[in-house]
Amino acid sequence: MKLNQIHNQKKNVLSFEIFPPKKDSELKNIDATLEILCELNPDFISVTFGAGGSSNHNRTIELAKKIKYKYHVEPVVHLTCLSYDKKDIDEFSKILAAEGIENILALRGDRNPDIPEKDEFHHASDLITYLKNTNDFCIAAACYPECHPESANRIDEMRHLRKKVDAGAELLLSQLFFDNSCFYRFEEDCRIAGIDVPITPGIMPVINANQIRRMVTMCGASLPKRFQKIIYKYGDKKEALFDAGMSYAISQIIDLLTNDVNSIHLYTMNNPIVARRICEGIKNII
Ligand code: FAD
């Protein structure tokens, strides 16, 4: 089923993100992970796409097929475009369509000096335009409540985001954030800019202090005082940080749902225990 149909049919939409295992040896564990994730009844599961290298892409497709045909949950395939040309995207789209994949998260991808870029797709909006002209996928795009690190300011950010929606993105999935007020301000800016598609907040439950440092360096998410205090007090106590991190993520989600945000995308980091605990904490609310 296409994402726009899911959104039209459901009052609240819950989805997960997973990544394909990097090593063959880890592939065995993915079934155990998927079994638990799918028992939690997500409306869709999105599968990330490694930058460069066809074996990574094959794993994304294999995982998406497994989600759809073995676990009967709708998959969303992430697809980056910086290092591809139209021929590559055509080939990839053909495989996805043949496998019955209906939803793509269309992305530019991060710049990486080790991965050569091709010259046909410079921004995600170029990929969205191309996919919309050549295929029948439902397209989602990424958005950044605290601005993409390369954006000069919030006005440019909005202009570029609007371009993705005008090109055909029917849903926006957000970068992680820890301060809900950033999301509410961003959502309001989007509506003022005429962006009227569903905007789904991405929530990352934090379970270790290194993970937070990495995430903040990568995406520049701001850390509210309440969150900083948790890290300061429990950062080196694994079990305590797990409890506090879960509780923080659950309270973020409950606040979002209470404020009429009707979809949540959980960055599971392939950890089914995290997903289960979060779902348990919101089961009578979502
Ligand atoms: P774009 O929308 O192209 O934006 C990138 C930058 O360019 C922004 O600063 C934007 O303002 C600017 N820009 C956009 N259009 C224009 C224009 N016409 N002129 C000038 N500037 C412009 N990466 C992966 O490699 N694999 C994944 O699976 C993956 N999944 C992700 C899932 C989510 C939900 C999110 C939020 C990110 C994900 N990423 C993934 C990371 C993403 O690829 C990076 O954040 C990347 O740097 C930007 O991708 P984008 O699609 O947002 O790019």
Side-chain angles (χ1 to χ4, degrees):
M1 193 190 283
K2 291 188 171 164
L3 292 184
N4 49 3
Q5 290 172 284
I6 295 176
H7 269 265
N8 286 340
Q9 286 178 12
K10 296 275 314 246
K11 186 166 149 270
N12 291 317
V13 174
L14 174 69
S15 55
F16 298 152
E17 179 189 280
I18 62 166
F19 53 84
K22 288 198 177 67
K23 297 182 199 148
D24 283 338
S25 56
E26 294 165 355
L27 273 172
K28 280 184 243 137
N29 299 333
I30 202 70
D31 266 302
T33 301
L34 281 177
E35 217 148 278
I36 299 176
L37 291 180
C38 294
E39 270 170 17
L40 298 169
N41 266 327
D43 294 296
F44 66 88
I45 297 183
S46 80
V47 188
T48 66
F49 190 85
S54 60
S55 64
N56 284 339
H57 308 160
N58 292 342
R59 284 196 182 150
T60 297
I61 298 169
E62 285 313 309
L63 208 47
K65 276 165 56 184
K66 205 177 254 250
I67 291 167
K68 188 169 177 95
Y69 296 110
K70 184 167 179 190
Y71 295 99
H72 310 292
V73 172
E74 204 51 56
V76 174
V77 166
H78 296 204
L79 174 60
T80 63
C81 62
L82 262 187
S83 50
Y84 301 107
D85 56 22
K86 288 178 181 164
K87 196 168 143 273
D88 300 321
I89 297 296
D90 287 343
E91 271 172 32
F92 200 74
S93 307
K94 208 169 146 191
I95 297 171
L96 292 180
E99 299 295 357
I101 304 296
E102 296 183 77
N103 303 293
I104 291 181
L105 174 59
L107 299 150
R108 186 198 70 180
D110 279 324
R111 299 219 136 89
N112 180 338
D114 297 330
I115 301 176
E117 292 177 13
K118 292 192 179 171
D119 208 24
E120 291 188 353
F121 299 103
H122 301 283
H123 304 287
S125 51
D126 302 329
L127 175 63
I128 297 168
T129 303
Y130 188 70
L131 287 171
K132 275 287 166 193
N133 286 333
T134 52
N135 287 277
D136 185 35
F137 300 113
C138 177
I139 306 290
C143 65
Y144 304 83
E146 296 182 79
C147 267
H148 186 274
E150 291 170 36
S151 290
N153 53 55
R154 283 168 55 212
I155 295 173
D156 273 4
E157 179 84 4
M158 277 301 139
R159 207 170 278 140
H160 299 144
L161 188 58
R162 173 77 199 254
K163 219 168 167 185
K164 295 202 270 196
V165 174
D166 288 346
E170 291 169 80
L171 174 85
L172 299 173
L173 288 181
S174 100
Q175 179 63 283
L176 63 91
F177 58 90
F178 300 106
D179 183 346
N180 284 2
S181 64
C182 297
F183 182 83
Y184 297 134
R185 184 173 77 162
F186 169 75
E187 196 186 31
E188 195 177 356
D189 286 350
C190 287
R191 299 314 178 206
I192 291 167
I195 294 169
D196 56 3
V197 298
I199 306 170
T200 297
I203 299 296
M204 164 80 86
V206 162
I207 54 171
N208 76 62
N210 284 339
Q211 174 200 7
I212 301 160
R213 277 180 217 112
R214 229 183 13 254
M215 291 302 161
V216 170
T217 317
M218 260 171 60
C219 68
S222 51
L223 302 180
K225 260 247 148 45
R226 186 162 78 87
F227 189 82
Q228 288 181 31
K229 281 171 111 171
I230 288 174
I231 308 303
Y232 179 73
K233 186 141 180 151
Y234 305 116
D236 54 1
K237 300 182 185 82
K238 199 170 160 224
E239 285 81 11
L241 182 61
F242 185 86
D243 280 353
M246 291 304 104
S247 163
Y248 191 89
I250 290 169
S251 71
Q252 252 194 298
I253 294 171
I254 292 174
D255 180 69
L256 289 161
L257 294 169
T258 306
N259 283 286
D260 297 329
V261 173
N262 61 4
S263 51
I264 300 290
H265 191 58
L266 201 63
Y267 291 107
T268 70
M269 303 299 286
N270 291 15
N271 187 330
I273 298 162
V274 165
R276 186 150 58 190
R277 176 91 166 249
I278 299 285
C279 288
E280 179 61 27
I282 58 170
K283 68 173 189 280
N284 297 312
I285 295 176
I286 189 117

